[in-house]
Amino acid sequence: MGLLIRNGEIVTADSRCIADIYAEDETITRIGKNLEVPAGTETVDATGKFVFPGFIDPHVHIYLPFMSTFAKDTHETGSIAALIGGTTTYIEMCCPNRNDDALEGYSLWKSKAEGHSACDYAFHMSVTKFVKETPAQLQKIVKDGTASFKIFLAYKNFFGVDDGEMYQTLMLAKRLGVIVTAHCENAELVARLQNALLAEGKKGPEWHEPSRPESVEAEGTGRFATFLENTSATGYVVHLSCEKALHVAVAAKTRGVHLHIESVIPHFILDKSHAERPGVEGMKHVMSPPLRAKHNQRALWNALALGSIDTVGTDHCPFDTEQKLMGKDAFTDIPNGIPGIEDRVNLLYTYGVERGRLPLDRFVDCASTRAAKVFGLFPRKGTIAIGSDADLVVYDPEYQGVISADTHAVNNNYSGFEGMPIEGRPSVVTVRGKVQVRDGKFVGERTRGKFLKREPAYF
Ligand SMILES: [Zn+2]
């Protein structure tokens, strides 16, 4: 049976018009005014609302063993939270650690998602060591449709790679045509600064930011860019947090390094004063790179509006307050992460578009289209066009609400954005032509989500 979205204002990254959209067999087949459709077609009236392409979160953690515990979401809960917030595809970081086998890790991560997700999904494969089996293993993973890698310059001895391993990963990625995403912080300096602060008795969550200052992120970003420059590989900085690192990344782009820049929603909305709150309130806001001094937000918003920052993800990573309290005696034991999968689109719309910081076309681009292009999902995802998957978000700009853990769908007992007003939310969300969300409630098929195979594209 077909689906008709009638009379909405269709907004993509490069066009805007009022029209109807008709989808059949999971795909958009017609766009036009006053479309004639078969009797019995399911119809959504989008009059007075926007219709956006399904949003894509290029950076989430769902299944995540970290600091001897596990992030709280499963694909059952995480995908529903994503959909309620308008995200119809997410790319999860597959993160086996240095002691795990890469192929076993990849199968494990895939098995956690398969048949359990309500939205579509893909993976970035983390390369957490480089040994003699690595090239053959990664080649298999790329053949399976996972055409992007992730490396960590931070998290020494756990996820982190050294410069030699980074070089080998980039050379292999170049050969396979795969993009490499990177967490850019200097591991050595983070470890040294953490120890120095703890030795001085500085143990609360307010010391997390000083243990990984902006210069440490700028150094990691610059080193990654230099390695890209000398390997001709294509890279993507994840969760860039501050003006110092932004300058380094933009300078690299300007001199022709193949580099894309992601920031994540907490860095646009929250600042380091949140992590300076006493006790568990501060711990809730510990993530890496850390929340920064507020002045950085202006630079991030401006770079986003200009398109120098390509994408906005979440680094969604829910640890509850009990887990956060593992770090009550030392900030280094606080599991890192702030959940955001459900709130990203509404926060970007409210504090970006509604506040005049982000043009509507760039909003669609940074939260959907650009991620689809960078990660090989376009034009199947990331736009509204004939032949594209019918992943659609009918968005109500009149909605007024407040973010709260009391009402959110994320499996976590707090929200990092508790009490923040939002002005707008999805009223209908579809995944390949099937209505999955209506007015903030999941109403669809819990196992509709599919693994998205991607082809290598960066030769
Ligand atoms: Zn992450």
Side-chain angles (χ1 to χ4, degrees):
M1 198 185 68
L3 172 74
L4 178 70
I5 310 279
R6 190 181 283 289
N7 204 35
E9 183 170 3
I10 301 169
V11 184
T12 68
D14 54 15
S15 69
R16 198 164 166 171
C17 68
I18 292 177
D20 303 343
I21 301 169
Y22 184 66
E24 54 196 329
D25 298 332
E26 306 194 347
T27 305
I28 297 168
T29 54
R30 284 191 285 157
I31 300 169
K33 303 248 184 216
N34 305 313
L35 294 179
E36 299 279 335
V37 297
T41 294
E42 183 178 11
T43 300
V44 173
D45 181 9
T47 304
K49 300 192 169 85
F50 294 120
V51 186
F52 299 127
F55 292 99
I56 299 170
D57 191 335
H59 185 166
V60 307
H61 300 270
I62 304 292
Y63 172 68
L64 183 66
F66 185 55
M67 296 172 94
S68 65
T69 187
F70 292 85
K72 297 301 281 188
D73 265 322
T74 59
H75 285 275
E76 280 90 351
T77 58
S79 64
I80 286 173
L83 285 168
I84 288 172
T87 292
T88 54
T89 294
Y90 53 59
I91 311 183
E92 187 191 8
M93 297 292 174
C94 172
C95 284
N97 71 49
R98 277 182 91 83
N99 301 318
D100 297 332
D101 178 77
L103 276 178
E104 281 170 21
Y106 181 65
S107 303
L108 174 64
W109 256 261
K110 256 186 106 174
S111 73
K112 297 285 178 189
E114 199 143 18
H116 297 284
S117 180
C119 69
D120 286 349
Y121 58 92
F123 299 99
H124 299 299
M125 181 65 202
S126 295
V127 182
T128 49
K129 64 182 164 199
F130 204 99
V131 292
K132 75 173 184 325
E133 302 79 38
T134 303
Q137 290 187 323
L138 291 178
Q139 195 158 4
K140 265 192 191 157
I141 289 166
V142 171
K143 272 219 171 83
D144 189 60
T146 291
S148 49
F149 298 155
K150 164 84 180 280
I151 55 173
F152 294 87
L153 278 59
Y155 306 119
K156 208 177 172 182
N157 302 325
F158 190 68
F159 295 133
V161 291
D162 63 24
D163 284 357
E165 291 169 315
M166 168 158 63
Y167 179 81
Q168 288 174 291
T169 304
L170 294 178
M171 290 299 283
L172 178 71
K174 172 71 186 158
R175 182 159 70 75
L176 298 177
V178 164
I179 186 171
V180 179
T181 71
H183 177 137
C184 299
E185 289 179 299
N186 185 302
E188 185 66 38
L189 275 171
V190 171
R192 299 277 173 179
L193 292 171
Q194 284 178 333
N195 290 340
L197 288 163
L198 291 176
E200 288 170 36
K202 295 172 172 169
K203 295 179 174 174
E206 70 275 24
W207 298 104
H208 174 72
E209 199 275 343
S211 77
R212 7 187 24 120
E214 294 175 14
S215 56
V216 162
E217 185 187 346
E219 190 282 338
T221 306
R223 186 155 37 96
F224 179 53
T226 303
F227 274 66
L228 291 171
E229 193 167 8
N230 287 283
T231 55
S232 302
T234 302
Y236 177 100
V237 178
V238 297
H239 51 41
L240 182 133
S241 74
C242 62
E243 194 168 357
K244 273 201 176 90
L246 178 66
H247 284 162
V248 171
V250 170
K253 271 191 177 200
T254 308
R255 68 178 189 268
V257 178
H258 305 300
L259 179 65
H260 303 274
I261 305 173
E262 170 198 276
S263 188
V264 293
I265 196 67
H267 293 306
F268 292 89
I269 305 291
L270 307 170
D271 61 73
K272 73 173 182 176
S273 69
H274 289 86
E276 288 166 352
R277 294 173 180 176
V280 77
E281 285 307 311
M283 295 178 197
K284 289 175 180 178
H285 295 97
V286 166
M287 63 182 290
S288 295
L291 296 176
R292 300 300 191 188
K294 199 165 182 58
H295 71 84
N296 286 286
Q297 290 175 354
R298 191 185 158 97
L300 294 184
W301 281 115
N302 287 337
L304 186 65
L306 288 167
S308 315
I309 292 178
D310 294 275
T311 59
V312 177
T314 54
D315 201 6
H316 177 73
C317 199
F319 291 105
D320 68 14
T321 49
E322 193 185 324
Q323 292 171 308
K324 289 281 183 181
L325 283 165
M326 287 162 45
K328 65 183 185 325
D329 299 323
F331 68 87
T332 46
D333 294 330
I334 303 168
N336 283 206
I338 301 178
I341 206 167
E342 189 170 344
D343 306 314
R344 176 184 64 128
V345 170
N346 294 333
L347 287 168
L348 263 181
Y349 183 81
T350 304
Y351 296 95
V353 177
E354 281 287 307
R355 298 291 181 274
R357 296 174 173 132
L358 187 63
L360 196 62
D361 57 344
R362 256 307 282 158
F363 160 73
V364 172
D365 192 40
C366 75
S368 176
T369 314
R370 194 75 68 100
K373 288 180 173 169
V374 169
F375 294 117
L377 292 167
F378 190 85
R380 177 174 177 194
K381 307 290 190 189
T383 193
I384 297 175
I386 289 167
S388 295
D389 283 357
D391 298 349
L392 299 165
V393 176
V394 178
Y395 200 83
D396 180 4
E398 302 300 323
Y399 177 82
Q400 306 260 332
V402 174
I403 293 174
S404 174
D406 296 337
T407 49
H408 74 189
V410 170
N411 186 32
N412 201 25
N413 65 354
Y414 81 91
S415 167
F417 309 100
E418 185 70 34
M420 286 189 183
I422 49 167
E423 299 160 18
R425 78 164 180 190
S427 58
V428 169
V429 180
T430 73
V431 174
R432 285 175 281 105
K434 164 97 184 134
V435 173
Q436 292 286 71
V437 168
R438 265 183 206 280
D439 300 322
K441 293 207 167 47
F442 182 77
V443 296
E445 258 174 48
R446 287 178 184 275
T447 58
R448 186 161 185 80
K450 275 191 189 159
F451 169 60
L452 302 170
K453 282 179 179 276
R454 297 175 292 127
E455 294 291 330
Y458 294 97
F459 292 99

